[in-house]
Each structure stands twice: as C-alpha cells, then as structure tokens.
Amino acid sequence: FALLKDYFVVKIANFFQINFIIHWHFGRIPELGKKNNFEWKLLLKVAKSANISIVLDNKSFLVLDQNKVREVILIPNPISEELINGEKFFTINKKSIDIGTFVFIGHIIPAKGVSELVKACCLVKYNINLVLIGPVSKSFKEELTSLSSKIDIDFITWTGELSRRDAVKYLHTANALCLPSYTEGFPNVILEAMSTGCPVIATDVGAIREMIFSDEFGNAGICIEPKSVELLAEALEYMISNPVEVNEFINSGYKIVKNKYTITKIFREYESIW
C-alpha cells in the first residue's frame, strides 16, 4: 500500500517536472526481484519513475541497476558521532570483555532469529549468558524459556526495553552482539556495537556483510547463513575461545565505524545529491 502512495506521488512529480528522489530503507529488494511478484513490479515502476533511487546495500544496488533503473546510488546509514566520541563508553586500549555474555537488541520476534539463537546457546560447551534486550510477547517469551530449559542452567537475562544509553552499556562489555535475523536492511545496532568495541555475529542479509567486513580496516565479526543453529553455535564458541581474534574484531569494528559511517561523512554524500 505504501508503494501505491509512492507511485502516485512520483507520477505527480513527473507531471510537474519536479525532481523526485526515493530512499529505499529496507533490504528486501533482492528477494522481491527473485519473486517477481506484484510488489516487485510496483517497486520497479516507482524506481524507474524517480530521478534517483538511494539504497542501503550493494545487493539492492545491483538488482535495481540490472533492471535499468535511471540512477541508483548506494549510501549507508550514519551513526551519531556523539556515540563514537562524546559518550566515551569505549576506550580502544581498555576494553574489558565479559566472556560468554552475548547480547541481542531489538524486537524479540521469530523473524529476528531469536529461537535459533537460544537453540545455539544450548549447544555451546561453554557457560553462556544471553541478554535479550527489547519487547517480547508473553507467548514467545514462554516459547524461548521452554527452549532454554533443555539444559539445566538458566542462561537468559530478560531486560525488557531499554534506553539506547543503557543498551549500549551492555554492548560495551559483551563478548558479541548477536543479530541472526532472517531479513534486515541496514541495522544501526551493528554500528552502535562496533562503536562501543563489541564484535558482531550476524546473518548475511541486507547490508550486514558490507557493514562488518572491510578490505581496508579488517573484519568486525562473523557473518553466517540465516536460520542455521549449528553455524550460530560455532560462531558463539569461536568468540569465547579466540580472545586474540576477538580483540582484532574490536579494533577493526571501531575503525570501520570511525572511517566509513560518521554522520559528517554520510551527510556530505546526501548533500551532493540534494
């Protein structure tokens, strides 16, 4: 329905010869391209009618470009420089890690891969403390609690919703942020994790691979296939048993954020378009 609105607005802009720029803030464009359904056809009509389409990830860029959209530009989301510099949660040479503590931040729903995360924790041979930050329904909380009861240790900490500042405090000492989502666009929580010196375990969806892997600055974590409990368990164990590599993830993540995703840098890219 939102695309129908976009279609009519862009056509009005075309009629009055007004430049129209659309910013696609989700990571489902490649998936829709494969489905070739009504939603995809409508999205393509909007994109082809716009003067410029801005996307968040390279996969979306390639799909739109291959479908001969007029002009496609890739610009990632920025992160507040206050978080990187002003709050000073993270000092690169004084990082203290709570080994075995993994954090999830977001809506605690099946599509975020939280069931797989809990199952993976049950397979890990080390002691785990899984901190789940965000809103959760009573029924899904009961389901996750039932999954976790397969081992004797109660390893889940439920915090409910927290302010960004309080959530970041958990990231500052966590062994890793875990985001095993089925689909994502450009999850800013990954930038927040890297800016506070927290490695990342996440699925290869949306822009995540581009966010945590860098040829220039190194890798900030581990990227796995969605819905794989076994790969997720392996990634958790790797973070626990390889402190030297984890320290490299910490340093690389901070460099990636500092050099690629500051609001000053991204704003210049927006400004050059607008």
Side-chain angles (χ1 to χ4, degrees), residues 9-10 12-21 49-51 70:
V9 173
V10 72
I12 292 170
N14 292 161
F15 180 80
F16 289 103
Q17 297 183 324
I18 298 170
N19 288 336
F20 190 95
I21 300 171
S49 298
N51 296 82
R70 190 185 306 183

Side-chain angles (χ1 to χ4, degrees), residues 9-246:
V9 173
V10 72
K11 285 303 179 184
I12 292 170
N14 292 161
F15 180 80
F16 289 103
Q17 297 183 324
I18 298 170
N19 288 336
F20 190 95
I21 300 171
I22 188 160
H23 201 153
W24 302 101
H25 268 277
F26 61 90
R28 292 173 53 242
I29 290 176
E31 176 189 339
L32 291 174
K34 291 178 182 178
K35 290 182 177 180
N36 196 31
N37 56 10
F38 177 74
E39 186 180 2
W40 165 249
K41 291 174 182 175
L42 189 55
L43 184 150
L44 207 53
K45 283 182 179 293
V46 173
K48 287 185 175 183
S49 298
N51 296 82
I52 296 175
S53 282
I54 301 174
V55 295
L56 298 172
D57 63 284
N58 191 54
K59 294 176 185 175
S60 296
F61 174 89
L62 292 174
V63 169
L64 292 184
D65 188 59
Q66 289 165 1
N67 280 274
K68 300 179 180 179
V69 169
R70 190 185 306 183
E71 184 172 0
V72 189
I73 298 175
L74 195 164
I75 303 180
N77 284 341
I79 186 171
S80 167
E81 289 173 50
E82 178 190 47
L83 185 59
I84 300 174
N85 301 319
E87 295 181 5
K88 297 184 188 233
F89 281 130
F90 171 54
T91 303
I92 201 162
N93 296 317
K94 298 179 181 180
K95 176 70 177 177
S96 177
I97 300 174
D98 188 1
I99 302 298
T101 293
F102 297 92
V103 176
F104 169 89
I105 300 176
H107 285 83
I108 302 172
I109 57 176
K112 292 292 183 179
V114 189
S115 296
E116 287 82 356
L117 180 56
V118 172
K119 291 176 183 177
C121 288
C122 292
L123 297 179
V124 173
K125 61 186 177 184
Y126 301 100
N127 290 333
I128 290 282
N129 176 26
L130 177 61
V131 182
L132 299 179
I133 301 174
V136 60
S137 68
K138 181 180 178 181
S139 60
F140 193 48
K141 184 175 182 179
E142 290 174 352
E143 180 183 329
L144 295 176
T145 301
S146 176
L147 288 173
S148 68
S149 66
K150 292 180 180 179
I151 60 175
D152 294 333
I153 302 171
D154 182 12
F155 61 85
I156 300 180
T157 300
W158 305 89
T159 71
E161 293 186 75
L162 297 178
S163 67
R164 190 195 72 177
R165 187 179 181 88
D166 287 338
V168 166
K169 288 179 181 178
Y170 279 96
L171 291 175
H172 182 54
T173 57
N175 208 157
L177 168 76
C178 296
L179 193 66
S181 305
Y182 301 168
T183 181
E184 286 286 354
F186 191 99
N188 274 35
V189 67
I190 287 181
L191 296 186
E192 292 175 355
M194 292 193 295
S195 72
T196 56
C198 182
V200 178
I201 298 172
T203 41
D204 186 8
V205 293
I208 289 176
R209 176 174 289 275
E210 299 157 47
M211 296 171 75
I212 67 175
F213 290 171
S214 169
D215 291 337
E216 185 176 0
F217 303 109
N219 300 333
I222 300 171
C223 203
I224 62 172
E225 295 177 11
K227 303 182 181 181
S228 174
V229 174
E230 292 74 18
L231 289 177
L232 192 48
E234 288 175 12
L236 294 171
E237 290 197 350
Y238 186 90
M239 288 292 184
I240 294 172
S241 59
N242 292 277
V244 174
E245 287 77 5
V246 166

